[in-house]
Amino acid sequence: MAVTSVHCQAGTRVGFYSRSCPRAESIVRSTVQAHFRSDPTIAPGLLRMHFHDCFVHGCDASILTNGPNTEKTAPPNRLLIGYDVIDDAKSQIEAACPGIVSCADILALAARDSVVVTRGISWQVPTGRRDGRISLASDTANLPGFTESVEAQKQKFLDKGLNTQDLVTLVGAHTIGTTACQIFRYRLYNFTTTTATGADPTIDDTFIPQLRALCPENGDGARRVALDTGSPNRFDTSFFSNLRNGRGVLESDQKLWSDASTKAVVQRFLGVRGLLGLTFNVEFGRSMVKMSNIGVKTGTDGEIRKICSAIN
């Protein structure tokens, strides 16, 4: 298996638990694999959960805590899945090495392992994060939204120390997973004054009937639709090919092709002649390491939770 080597910062390091809990990473890996075999949707679920964790208070497992008005109750997080995978891994790790491994690290490792089970390339995950003690639904406003302009998305990433290439790379996680009809259906029916079809003009004409069949105007808003219609269960570059062909499902995804700065990155992933190529799987690991070091708590900051869904 190919592994991307990375440099880390912010007090985390690769192999943080090599002596204190040497089985930690293998326990997370086997847990993700076991859950994935019975439910493949947990892979994109865990990847998205890690992203949503890191953008609010840094990567500190604040997304995992239960209770009224916690982060997981906020609208962007209500459809997240995979909490049971983290709880399962945590209980096994606690049995092996009590009080050592943080929930934040388990989530970071599980996100990497989710890419691997969907046939992406592995990377080394720096560990040593500690768990936060604050989780508020009201703090989730800085999560990027599905209708936002590229400029707004770029600013939210820049605020976290992530550049335009990181933005495009990390949105490439939409190569796996699904969204709900209610999230993008307006693109299929609400443009009657703009186009003859009544659909968003940036959607490829041949794609419109396909999406309308999946999401009728008054149909089930909760129905799930693949974000990458080419290979929804494989971690690859077909998501970027879809953007080039007007087949991005989310408005915010398709906009990456209409903005010059993000389009150039998409083209580099697609190997467009005349541009210096980028290897998506390699860059994804690098950008994930950058993201996973956002606002981490290390040393004596934060805590090591006993169970991931509750602050000690």
Side-chain angles (χ1 to χ4, degrees):
M1 182 199 303
V3 176
T4 303
S5 181
V6 293
H7 298 286
C8 55
Q9 67 271 358
T12 59
R13 59 183 169 85
V14 172
F16 184 86
Y17 300 112
S18 57
R19 291 187 176 173
S20 59
C21 191
R23 291 182 51 230
E25 295 204 20
S26 63
I27 289 172
V28 175
R29 183 164 55 247
S30 62
T31 305
V32 170
Q33 289 168 343
H35 283 261
F36 178 77
R37 279 193 290 272
S38 58
D39 180 10
T41 65
I42 62 106
L46 290 166
L47 200 49
R48 187 163 174 237
M49 188 187 294
H50 180 47
F51 178 90
H52 283 215
D53 183 38
C54 291
F55 262 67
V56 184
H57 293 299
C59 312
D60 69 346
S62 53
I63 189 85
L64 302 176
T65 51
N66 287 339
N69 304 314
T70 54
E71 282 176 38
K72 65 162 64 171
T73 68
N77 296 329
R78 281 182 198 150
L79 297 176
L80 286 179
I81 59 165
Y83 295 108
D84 55 329
V85 184
I86 303 301
D87 291 341
D88 187 359
K90 177 66 169 172
S91 64
Q92 292 179 58
I93 288 172
E94 283 299 300
C97 341
I100 300 292
V101 180
S102 70
C103 299
D105 278 341
I106 292 171
L107 181 51
L109 292 165
R112 184 267 312 272
D113 297 334
S114 296
V115 171
V116 177
V117 294
T118 50
R119 292 180 280 182
I121 293 178
S122 188
W123 65 91
Q124 294 177 305
V125 176
T127 43
R129 297 166 194 79
R130 287 167 67 84
D131 299 322
R133 296 189 178 104
I134 297 168
S135 180
L136 296 168
S138 54
D139 290 334
T140 60
N142 60 351
L143 283 168
F146 56 87
T147 61
E148 284 183 342
S149 68
V150 170
E151 282 308 311
Q153 292 180 66
K154 281 163 69 172
Q155 189 58 54
K156 285 185 174 182
F157 274 71
L158 200 58
D159 290 345
K160 302 296 179 187
L162 300 168
N163 61 30
T164 301
Q165 183 177 310
D166 295 318
L167 162 63
V168 178
T169 304
L170 292 167
V171 171
H174 290 168
T175 178
I176 56 173
T178 60
T179 187
C181 286
Q182 64 199 23
I183 300 296
F184 70 92
R185 187 162 49 192
Y186 67 93
R187 298 186 69 210
L188 305 177
Y189 304 101
N190 291 11
F191 288 78
T192 47
T193 58
T194 319
T195 60
T197 62
D200 181 334
T202 63
I203 304 176
D204 175 59
D205 283 347
T206 63
F207 194 38
I208 295 166
Q210 198 176 325
L211 290 177
R212 283 180 171 167
L214 292 168
C215 298
E217 193 162 9
N218 298 307
D220 179 8
R223 183 171 185 181
R224 307 300 295 184
V225 173
L227 287 163
D228 175 357
T229 50
S231 57
N233 300 311
R234 184 172 184 134
F235 208 87
D236 58 18
T237 57
S238 64
F239 169 77
F240 296 116
S241 303
N242 288 341
L243 300 187
R244 176 177 58 193
N245 298 329
R247 297 170 79 86
V249 175
L250 299 182
E251 180 183 346
S252 54
D253 288 354
Q254 189 56 51
K255 280 175 175 169
L256 298 179
W257 186 253
S258 55
D259 178 275
S261 63
T262 50
K263 180 179 181 176
V265 182
V266 175
Q267 289 176 314
R268 290 177 71 189
F269 283 136
L270 292 173
V272 171
R273 195 177 298 171
L275 290 175
L276 183 64
L278 287 171
T279 304
F280 172 55
N281 265 298
V282 173
E283 297 305 325
F284 191 79
R286 287 182 182 153
S287 290
M288 282 291 283
V289 169
K290 278 179 75 173
M291 184 187 78
S292 75
N293 272 320
I294 294 171
V296 295
K297 295 159 181 67
T298 57
T300 55
D301 199 6
E303 63 184 21
I304 304 296
R305 283 187 210 148
K306 293 181 176 68
I307 57 169
C308 291
S309 57
I311 292 158
N312 290 347

